[in-house]
Amino acid sequence: VTRVHVWGASGYAAAEAVRLLEMHPALEVGVLESRSHAGSAVTEHFPDLRTLPYRFSDVGSVARAIRDGDVVIAAGAHGEAAAHVPQFLAQGARVVDLSADYRFDDNAVYGLTEWNREAVAGASLVANPGCYPTATLLALLPLLHLKRARQVIVDAKSGITGAGRKPTVGALYAEVARDIRAYGLEGHRHQPEIERVLAANDTLAPLVFTPHVVPLSRGMLVDAYAIYDAPTDDEAVRAAYVRAYAGSPFVRMLEPQMAPSVAAVVGTNDAEIRVDVIGTTVRVLCAIDNLGKGAAGQAIQNINVMLGLPEETGFDARAILA
Amino acid sequence: VTRVHVWGASGYAAAEAVRLLEMHPALEVGVLESRSHAGSAVTEHFPDLRTLPYRFSDVGSVARAIRDGDVVIAAGAHGEAAAHVPQFLAQGARVVDLSADYRFDDNAVYGLTEWNREAVAGASLVANPGCYPTATLLALLPLLHLKRARQVIVDAKSGITGAGRKPTVGALYAEVARDIRAYGLEGHRHQPEIERVLAANDTLAPLVFTPHVVPLSRGMLVDAYAIYDAPTDDEAVRAAYVRAYAGSPFVRMLEPQMAPSVAAVVGTNDAEIRVDVIGTTVRVLCAIDNLGKGAAGQAIQNINVMLGLPEETGFDARAILA
Amino acid sequence: VTRVHVWGASGYAAAEAVRLLEMHPALEVGVLESRSHAGSAVTEHFPDLRTLPYRFSDVGSVARAIRDGDVVIAAGAHGEAAAHVPQFLAQGARVVDLSADYRFDDNAVYGLTEWNREAVAGASLVANPGCYPTATLLALLPLLHLKRARQVIVDAKSGITGAGRKPTVGALYAEVARDIRAYGLEGHRHQPEIERVLAANDTLAPLVFTPHVVPLSRGMLVDAYAIYDAPTDDEAVRAAYVRAYAGSPFVRMLEPQMAPSVAAVVGTNDAEIRVDVIGTTVRVLCAIDNLGKGAAGQAIQNINVMLGLPEETGFDARAILA
Amino acid sequence: VTRVHVWGASGYAAAEAVRLLEMHPALEVGVLESRSHAGSAVTEHFPDLRTLPYRFSDVGSVARAIRDGDVVIAAGAHGEAAAHVPQFLAQGARVVDLSADYRFDDNAVYGLTEWNREAVAGASLVANPGCYPTATLLALLPLLHLKRARQVIVDAKSGITGAGRKPTVGALYAEVARDIRAYGLEGHRHQPEIERVLAANDTLAPLVFTPHVVPLSRGMLVDAYAIYDAPTDDEAVRAAYVRAYAGSPFVRMLEPQMAPSVAAVVGTNDAEIRVDVIGTTVRVLCAIDNLGKGAAGQAIQNINVMLGLPEETGFDARAILA
């Protein structure tokens, strides 16, 4: 059983990682380091983790605890991981970083598992993708590999936990419950991340990316539209997706009459995808759990791959009506 | 004071019409005909109308009550208005129909007020637009008049009251509260309505239309993307919108740093629009209240125009934090 | 037209006060002082107030602006009003304080309008009641005046805006949307306020008070249970309520088959009350809008009384389905 | 592995039973009989069960499928079970009925597991308690066994799935999302069920029971207040609860500073209880999942007991932030 420490453990993604680790047969929860929560019990902060006996530990505790072969999930704020991860690596730990700090760094492997399995398997440092890039790239890569687009439009809808657990006015119940909000209209941190991966895959196309917050705690739906000069062959498109995800247990290609559902993926590491060819446009819908496949789930999936375990190990829980 | 009867008065749009009529200085509530609710008090069915003294009356009551000069808002289900509206007209009433029954009928005036004021002013029968077409056309018509697009993508998000008050499993709290759902992916009733108006305005372009239900009772956000072969002049685009809506008190062109907000328009007849030119794409966001500008509000606005009243008469109420 | 300044104008109750002032024929918005928002436009912070032209002004602006005859609504945090209100009074303003600072101060008049009209009329300083005390006292005073109880249980449910707009983890969407939470179980600030008023009315009984947060932005339902040694006469109880609220336009005694509804009072200054005698218990349900009758609405109602205006002046808006 | 058939399988509790059976090591899903959904795939109706291969089967399919040793969960509407259960029993199946049909029948064992383990162990027919009685009785029985009360007040708050999946206006999103509603104020089906069990335990006291619907899909909080003539010993009360639930793995007595949380129990079979002695009143809060411990979870727990399995078998899943 491999120990997994969580550094920066006070947020929603960290809590989801703890929940998943608890159910995992080959991983166990190590140290949960949190500056803000140090010394208090997990149960005081996360009602859904009420039955767990863990406590948050103080600054430096992960570094003190690491033994060779341990894994660290770095779940701190953007900009903070880079100051600590090198030490964790130097101590012999493997690291999956949930922040954006290493997503543009060639020393890290970009952990979009379905498209980077081999590199992840040998990695000591994995930069876990953002939730928007995960859903967008899962939706677009099979298509753009088949045929580069003239223009790509990505209209994304996210639950509010994607904004983290730091309290802000914009994340208050009374603000989120009554609105749909487009944001980042002048440019969003995730757009360069998406474009970098598209470019690395030689599939770059002009991209318009519009993220929205909807009244959901968790879950994400991305509607991606690729516009072409001429109609695309429907069968070829479907075949490309089936081929791309044939060995990917978490990606579910939906039959034509079904629509991806956030309710179907919340609490899981699954992605649901539906593709439609409409004239010279191809529309791809992709639903994921922003805290699952978009964060903690994909981190555990990557750890499975890094440790040589079957990719789906530990993901027995199902979505739950809630 | 003109009497306004509501035929088919048991739904959400009818209730909103009653709320608006109550606040209107030149209109008064006439007969509220409802087959299902006949004989019961409005207050039993609509808590928000609790302080009103009205009762629902039985089948045929509108026809019996009409006097010359009255107005009828037909708020029945799609397919049912056509059997009753001719009689209302024959009795000398003017009619605004909220259903789809007359939206493709050349004997009716299409009541997208901002684009059809003169025809509405002289009309005896107005086909009130659907909520999706209202938001979409307000967003696109100034742009497409300026320059026809190669492709138009419309990604629309709606509160659930757009589906009406007939109980269905899909509209239950426990279904809506946990999901974002794209629907009508094989074709949606509103797409032909949008295309018909675009064609009539000589602005038709290939259209992909994707409606979604989000966890909101009311409110709608449409993200419309027009894709061109070459970049469009930013200033010219903005100028086209300013010109188009110069005399329209309910359309609010937002400054560049603001985003349309559903919370800002719920309970009003307002539309908020923001335009961005991004490479060869123009993105237009438009927020309306699906029960306001998307239904009952626009109906009252049309009645104001039909009666020669200032268009904004009776719309003093503001959005409310809720 | 009387000018009403708002001191501490960045919260939900202040925003609701601005909305109500805008609709009021005899009051107008004066200075909106906010330390945190000074210099910015109201519209940047409150989407529902989007169409208003006001800006927040800096610290000291209310004091600088006051002219004789002005009114100040003090909407700052508990503990801060007492440092500023004396100066406002000294400058000749009348003040309604929404905080708890003066609720236990004999120099202020306790502004539970229905039970204190005469004192409010002559007051220069009104301590506006809390939302929980307002609903609880409206529910209980007629009954306890009739017959003192052996024990009173108050089980109260509130929307989250009662906690203010200062961001805290507990008020985040993802925390509130999935829970019902009892809080203050060791003692809640509002219990002494309730007991003080009951004592002043010579109606004190042992009180157990349990507040809860439910997933609502605004609205409050109080279930009050008075336990007696012997059965109480049903008719006498009803008569006591009818008598108590005969001249109170905002209190609505419901007929036996109707239940108080939060949806019926949100956006209004109304209170809905239903009374049931069940064995030796009398159960009283009372619904109010925590930002309306529980805060800004009652403040405006008190200002009406202070200025000699009809109590219901300016309260034309109705609840809205949202 | 024992086969468990679900009769009347189209509702929320049935779907939750399927989810739990899937995770259970000693039980397997048998036939899912549904008149309304016969022939269609489970995945078409329940997005959270998307990955399951089951189909609903037609009327009579459970009766045709039963083999000796099978178990049937009867999840049909109240009033329908009694016509089918005798046959299931005659065929050699053991039955847990979720409806109210057998809760007043001496031939069935009342399945409040914690208070009836021995009888459940030997039962062939278990009447599963309602969600309100489950939470109320778990909260009150230890206390009332210790000391009978003068008066009991039960103020209960429930998510809307307790009303089932049959579409009604009252369960629509737009109705539930904006309100807290007390209902059944003239008498609720669950009150006699509670009183019958209290009487059977010789703990009956006058009861006022007020159920409410709050804007939650699932989850329930019961606030029970027992009023006495004299103060009760705090330590004795706590000891009574600890003693009562010492061998009950699903009941969690909370420490004094913690409050029961719906978020902590949704998706589980757990109950969280907190007790406070306040003067002559004892207040007991109890949170359960209305579909878990209040329905399907307790059914599986009862099946475990009936089959001689450890009570907690199959309940590994944790609450999930959603």
Side-chain angles (χ1 to χ4, degrees), chain D residues 199-217:
Chain D
N201 277 269
D202 198 27
T203 59
L204 189 60
L207 172 68
V208 172
F209 175 67
T210 316
H212 303 74
V213 170
V214 295
L216 282 176
S217 291

Side-chain angles (χ1 to χ4, degrees), chain A residues 17-222:
Chain A
V18 171
R19 187 180 75 94
L20 294 172
L21 289 170
E22 268 291 306
M23 297 190 291
H24 199 291
L27 304 176
E28 66 177 13
V29 175
V31 162
L32 305 177
E33 175 175 334
S34 163
R35 188 170 42 208
S36 56
H37 293 3
S40 62
V42 165
T43 187
E44 290 176 40
H45 299 276
F46 293 99
D48 35 304
L49 300 180
R50 195 90 121 193
T51 52
L52 297 184
Y54 307 111
R55 299 190 82 81
F56 293 108
S57 56
D58 62 346
V59 172
S61 56
V62 165
R64 288 194 301 274
I66 290 177
R67 291 189 307 249
D68 207 56
D70 284 2
V71 174
V72 177
I73 295 177
H78 302 299
E80 299 193 2
H84 298 81
V85 164
Q87 178 176 356
F88 302 157
L89 293 169
Q91 292 180 268
R94 275 180 279 198
V95 178
V96 178
D97 180 28
L98 303 189
S99 83
D101 288 17
Y102 289 98
R103 291 181 196 154
F104 295 83
D105 187 325
D106 291 334
N107 295 314
V109 169
Y110 189 74
L112 184 67
T113 332
E114 282 71 15
W115 291 90
N116 231 2
R117 272 190 194 91
E118 285 185 30
V120 169
S124 54
L125 173 56
V126 169
N128 219 52
C131 48
Y132 285 119
T134 294
T136 302
L137 293 166
L138 288 177
L140 284 174
L141 281 174
L143 178 66
L144 298 183
H145 269 295
L146 181 71
K147 190 174 166 188
R148 195 175 302 205
R150 156 188 282 272
Q151 174 74 48
V152 170
I153 308 289
V154 174
D155 191 289
K157 299 94 181 157
S158 175
I160 188 65
T161 49
R165 213 188 191 202
K166 279 253 172 62
T168 61
V169 168
L172 292 178
Y173 181 85
E175 310 292 316
V176 174
R178 53 171 173 148
D179 216 346
I180 324 173
R181 291 201 306 257
Y183 68 105
L185 295 177
E186 270 82 31
H188 187 279
R189 176 168 44 80
H190 284 310
Q191 178 152 349
E193 182 181 339
I194 296 167
E195 289 172 336
R196 183 175 196 261
V197 179
L198 292 179
N201 277 268
D202 198 28
T203 59
L204 189 59
L207 172 68
V208 172
F209 176 67
T210 316
H212 303 75
V213 170
V214 295
L216 282 176
S217 290
R218 60 198 276 184
M220 168 171 288
L221 180 69
V222 161

Side-chain angles (χ1 to χ4, degrees), chain D residues 61-316:
Chain D
S61 56
V62 164
R64 289 194 301 273
I66 290 177
R67 292 190 304 251
D68 207 55
D70 285 0
V71 174
V72 177
I73 295 178
H78 302 299
E80 298 194 3
H84 298 81
V85 164
Q87 179 176 356
F88 301 157
L89 294 169
Q91 292 180 267
R94 276 181 278 199
V95 178
V96 178
D97 180 28
L98 303 189
S99 83
D101 288 15
Y102 289 97
R103 293 182 194 153
F104 297 83
D105 187 327
D106 290 332
N107 295 315
V109 170
Y110 189 73
L112 185 67
T113 332
E114 282 71 14
W115 291 90
N116 233 0
R117 270 189 196 91
E118 285 185 31
V120 168
S124 54
L125 173 58
V126 169
N128 219 51
C131 47
Y132 285 119
T134 294
T136 301
L137 294 166
L138 288 177
L140 285 174
L141 281 174
L143 177 67
L144 299 183
H145 269 295
L146 182 72
K147 189 174 168 188
R148 195 174 304 207
R150 157 188 281 273
Q151 173 72 47
V152 171
I153 308 289
V154 175
D155 190 289
K157 300 92 180 158
S158 174
I160 188 66
T161 49
R165 214 187 191 203
K166 279 251 173 63
T168 61
V169 168
L172 292 179
Y173 181 86
E175 309 293 317
V176 173
R178 55 172 172 146
D179 217 347
I180 323 172
R181 290 200 307 255
Y183 67 105
L185 296 176
E186 269 82 31
H188 187 278
R189 175 169 44 81
H190 285 310
Q191 178 151 349
E193 182 181 338
I194 296 167
E195 289 173 335
R196 183 175 198 261
V197 178
L198 291 178
N201 277 269
D202 198 27
T203 59
L204 189 60
L207 172 68
V208 172
F209 175 67
T210 316
H212 303 74
V213 170
V214 295
L216 282 176
S217 291
R218 58 197 277 182
M220 168 171 286
L221 180 69
V222 161
D223 295 48
Y225 305 88
I227 292 94
Y228 292 94
D229 288 330
T232 311
D233 179 60
D234 200 335
E235 287 309 304
V237 168
R238 282 176 205 290
Y241 280 85
V242 169
R243 203 166 48 240
Y245 295 123
S248 292
F250 294 113
V251 179
R252 207 146 64 226
M253 292 304 304
L254 297 185
E255 293 170 38
Q257 74 279 13
M258 296 191 73
S261 162
V262 162
V265 296
V266 162
T268 78
N269 195 45
D270 297 347
E272 290 199 337
I273 296 180
R274 171 186 164 129
V275 187
D276 289 280
V277 177
I278 308 169
T280 57
T281 297
V282 181
R283 177 180 63 196
V284 193
L285 272 62
C286 178
I288 63 168
D289 180 352
N290 62 304
L291 296 180
K293 181 64 182 168
Q298 189 155 247
I300 305 292
Q301 182 186 5
N302 283 327
I303 293 171
N304 283 344
V305 173
M306 291 161 91
L307 299 178
L309 298 167
E311 207 168 305
E312 59 270 49
T313 310
F315 286 103
D316 296 331

Side-chain angles (χ1 to χ4, degrees), chain A residues 12 15-16 19 22-23 43-44 46-52 161 173 177 215 217-218 252 254 258-261 263-268 270 272 289 291 316-322, chain D residues 12 15-16 19 22-23 43-44 46-52 161 173 177 215 217-218 252 254 258-261 263-268 270 272 289 291 316-322:
Chain A
Y12 289 121
E16 181 67 2
R19 187 180 75 94
E22 268 291 306
M23 297 190 291
T43 187
E44 290 176 40
F46 293 99
D48 35 304
L49 300 180
R50 195 90 121 193
T51 52
L52 297 184
T161 49
Y173 181 85
S217 290
R218 60 198 276 184
R252 207 145 64 226
L254 297 185
M258 296 190 73
S261 162
V265 296
V266 162
T268 78
D270 298 345
E272 290 199 336
D289 180 352
L291 295 180
D316 295 332
R318 197 167 299 287
I320 155 177
L321 181 165
Chain D
Y12 288 121
E16 181 67 1
R19 186 180 76 94
E22 267 291 305
M23 297 190 290
T43 189
E44 289 176 41
F46 293 100
D48 36 304
L49 301 179
R50 195 91 120 193
T51 53
L52 297 184
T161 49
Y173 181 86
S217 291
R218 58 197 277 182
R252 207 146 64 226
L254 297 185
M258 296 191 73
S261 162
V265 296
V266 162
T268 78
D270 297 347
E272 290 199 337
D289 180 352
L291 296 180
D316 296 331
R318 197 167 299 287
I320 156 176
L321 180 166

